[in-house]
Amino acid sequence: MIDYIIVASIGTVLLAALITLLILLIIYITRYSKVKREHELTKQDYIKLSDRYMELEQDYQSSLASLNDLALRYDELNKSRESMKKLAYSDYLTELPNRTAFTEMLDNIMLTIRNEEIIALMDIDIDDFKDINDSLGHAYGDELLLDITHRLKQVLDENDYLARIGGDEFIILTQNLENTYSYDEKIQKVKDVFNQPFVLLAKEYYISVSIGVAFAPKDGKNSQTLIKNVDAAMYMAKANGKNTHAYYDASFHQKLTEKIELQFELRRALEQNELVLYYQPQLDLATLKIVGFEALIRWKHPTKGLMYPDDFVWVAEENGLIIPIGRWVIKTACHQLKEWSKQYPDLIMAINLSAKQFKDKNLLEMICEIIEETQINPKNLEFEITETVALEDIEYTDATIRQLNKIGVRFSLDDFGTGYSSMSYLKKLPISNLKIDKSFLDAGMVDVSDQKIIQAIISLARNLNLNVIAEGVETVDQEAFLKESDCDKVQGYLYSKPVPTDEAILLLKNRQDK
Ligand code: C2E
Ligand code: CA
Ligand code: CA
């Protein structure tokens, strides 16, 4: 019995233990599978996470690349902004500040200008720049602009600011001036820049400029007015025959209006036969006989009366009307010469040619046509050009004169002594006569050294086989001096003023037929 109880107890214990074990096993299995499940989940997450990490890494790399790209582009943008600014503010050719930069600069100065301060503006415009561009091409036009820039820079000091405000237009702004008079020196310095020829294509060119000057605050309180007024002053310098300077004055606008009116009326004048020629005799100094006439234009204006060339020829020159007017002059003078030559076959007709006329490409053809039409002897025809015109393009001058020389037409150098007066070119030019300017003769009457210069010019002309005509002879003293100096011909009020045709005929009769 006891054994049975023992065995039964052991069995129960064993069963209990077995059951406990079983329970523990179930618990373990359940736990294990949970943990395993959980572990499997984490692994997937890990894979996912690392995938995500890779993606992020890629994103990061590409962001970095685009950041670099962006920085590069930003740099480029900055650079192009800089160069755009440079483009907007500086002139591409000369690298000088341009009109925009200049205007901004002047704006700023005018905002802060002190009471006692004076500012000067000098507008420098190249005369007939278009002709250079047209004849030599733009590349040489550019070269000339660079040469001019270089020379202008040499005359600047620390108070000056140079800008290029137009194709052939420069401006100098000068600050801290004490008075307006002291500025004359600067103007002279700028003018001197153009005394030396410019070398283009191995040829020498004399370039002239027209200069307008305005002062602030006197001539304008803001940049707009000042720029307008200095421009008007420059325009006035052009109107005064170029190669000069003019100060702004308030009556400019009035003068401009008058000029526009004049241009309009001049166009009509040619059509309505309001233009006439007057003739001034040229005399042989030894015999005091008339050897020729200089044809000088006049305008019988319907309301203003008889007008002189100084009052209208420049307008015609500026707007190109000088070409048809010039043709009319040559034609009329040649017809007159033909008429007079019937009785006076050796009589000379001298005709003035302006710069534009001389440079006109149809000049030769036109002159030949008129000679043909009027049947005059070309040997009796003379053209007068000034030194300035002759020297502008010496090779062209030389070639043109030579062509006309071939058919017998001769040339005189007008107003000698007022231009460059360089003796060296005289022997190169195929001219026949030298006309000593009146102003030279006037000075010679008061100053002995001027008399010596006139005599030197005459003997130089002799050596070069040129005839000398003295113009503007008004007194017997002048006549005596010229005789003593061995001058060939004379022209001036002492003998006769320029007169209309009928009076010229009388002069011829009285002097020649005696
Ligand atoms: P220029 O060729 O130097 O002509 C001489 C000027 O001096 C003329 O003025 C004449 O009247 C003036 N004169 C002559 N003798 C004396 C004198 O003894 N005393 C004074 N005080 N003056 C004297 P004008 O006729 O008024 O002509 C002025 C300028 O106009 C001329 O200067 C010439 O450059 C230009 N001109 C005249 N006619 C023509 C023309 O048909 N065509 C062109 N292109 N220009 C012309
Ligand atoms: Ca003349
Ligand atoms: Ca003259």
Side-chain angles (χ1 to χ4, degrees), residues 225-287:
T225 316
L226 279 166
I227 292 172
K228 192 181 83 199
N229 290 347
V230 76
D231 193 54
M234 186 278 290
Y235 203 56
M236 223 51 220
K238 287 249 188 248
N240 292 339
K242 304 178 182 167
N243 193 19
T244 185
H245 69 279
Y247 296 96
Y248 173 76
D249 92 62
S251 63
F252 272 170
H253 297 290
Q254 165 76 17
K255 286 183 192 157
L256 283 186
T257 324
E258 282 171 10
K259 195 186 103 173
I260 292 165
E261 211 171 281
L262 208 62
Q263 283 184 346
F264 177 76
E265 292 177 335
L266 198 54
R267 217 174 284 277
R268 224 196 27 206
L270 191 60
E271 293 157 13
Q272 316 244 317
N273 296 321
E274 290 168 13
L275 301 177
V276 286
L277 287 187
Y278 274 38
Y279 300 92
Q280 187 177 32
Q282 299 181 330
L283 293 84
D284 178 278
L285 186 53
T287 62

Side-chain angles (χ1 to χ4, degrees), residues 306-336:
L306 192 69
M307 284 177 72
Y308 289 82
D310 287 346
D311 295 326
F312 64 87
V313 164
W314 62 269
V315 180
E317 180 73 3
E318 212 175 88
N319 68 4
L321 265 180
I322 195 69
I323 301 295
I325 289 178
R327 191 191 309 122
W328 174 85
V329 168
I330 299 173
K331 211 166 165 167
T332 310
C334 284
H335 274 293
Q336 193 57 70

Side-chain angles (χ1 to χ4, degrees), residues 416 434-438 440 454 457-458 468-471:
F416 189 78
L434 210 65
K435 290 190 85 172
I436 303 182
D437 191 65
K438 177 182 188 316
F440 229 65
I454 295 178
I457 293 175
I458 294 175
V468 183
I469 308 175
E471 54 175 345

Side-chain angles (χ1 to χ4, degrees), residues 280 294 297-298 309 352 354 357 414-415 438 472 474 492-493 498:
Q280 187 177 32
E294 177 176 4
I297 195 167
R298 303 287 183 262
N352 293 285
S354 75
Q357 285 177 277
D414 207 351
D415 302 349
K438 177 182 188 316
E474 290 181 341
Y493 291 177

Side-chain angles (χ1 to χ4, degrees), residues 296-460:
L296 294 155
I297 195 167
R298 303 287 183 262
W299 179 5
K300 285 191 171 158
H301 192 282
T303 55
K304 294 178 189 150
L306 192 69
M307 284 177 72
Y308 289 82
D310 287 346
D311 295 326
F312 64 87
V313 164
W314 62 269
V315 180
E317 180 73 3
E318 212 175 88
N319 68 4
L321 265 180
I322 195 69
I323 301 295
I325 289 178
R327 191 191 309 122
W328 174 85
V329 168
I330 299 173
K331 211 166 165 167
T332 310
C334 284
H335 274 293
Q336 193 57 70
L337 176 67
K338 179 71 191 168
E339 196 58 35
W340 284 338
S341 67
K342 287 175 194 159
Q343 208 176 339
Y344 309 99
D346 296 327
L347 204 68
I348 301 279
M349 182 64 82
I351 301 173
N352 293 285
L353 287 182
S354 75
K356 229 180 215 149
Q357 285 177 277
F358 186 64
K359 281 185 281 183
D360 184 41
K361 53 180 187 307
N362 297 320
L363 179 76
L364 288 174
E365 199 189 327
M366 185 255 289
I367 291 173
C368 292
E369 260 175 37
I370 293 176
I371 291 174
E372 178 77 27
E373 180 193 315
T374 54
Q375 288 291 304
I376 57 150
N377 183 351
K379 289 191 171 57
N380 294 352
L381 190 58
E382 263 175 29
F383 286 105
E384 300 190 356
I385 54 169
T386 63
E387 282 180 278
T388 323
V389 172
L391 291 190
E392 213 168 278
D393 180 349
I394 293 191
E395 277 177 32
Y396 170 81
T397 304
D398 186 72
T400 309
I401 297 182
R402 265 179 220 286
Q403 293 255 30
L404 283 163
N405 279 170
K406 267 189 218 157
I407 55 166
V409 176
R410 279 173 296 189
F411 273 78
S412 305
L413 210 52
D414 207 351
D415 302 349
F416 189 78
T418 59
Y420 303 104
S421 302
S422 138
M423 304 290 169
S424 62
Y425 69 81
L426 266 186
K427 65 172 185 290
K428 294 187 209 152
L429 286 178
I431 47 159
S432 312
N433 312 296
L434 210 65
K435 290 190 85 172
I436 303 182
D437 191 65
K438 177 182 188 316
S439 60
F440 229 65
L441 201 64
D442 289 343
M445 287 301 106
V446 282
D447 195 330
V448 182
S449 60
D450 275 306
Q451 289 187 3
K452 293 247 183 315
I453 295 174
I454 295 178
Q455 285 168 337
I457 293 175
I458 294 175
S459 68
L460 176 92

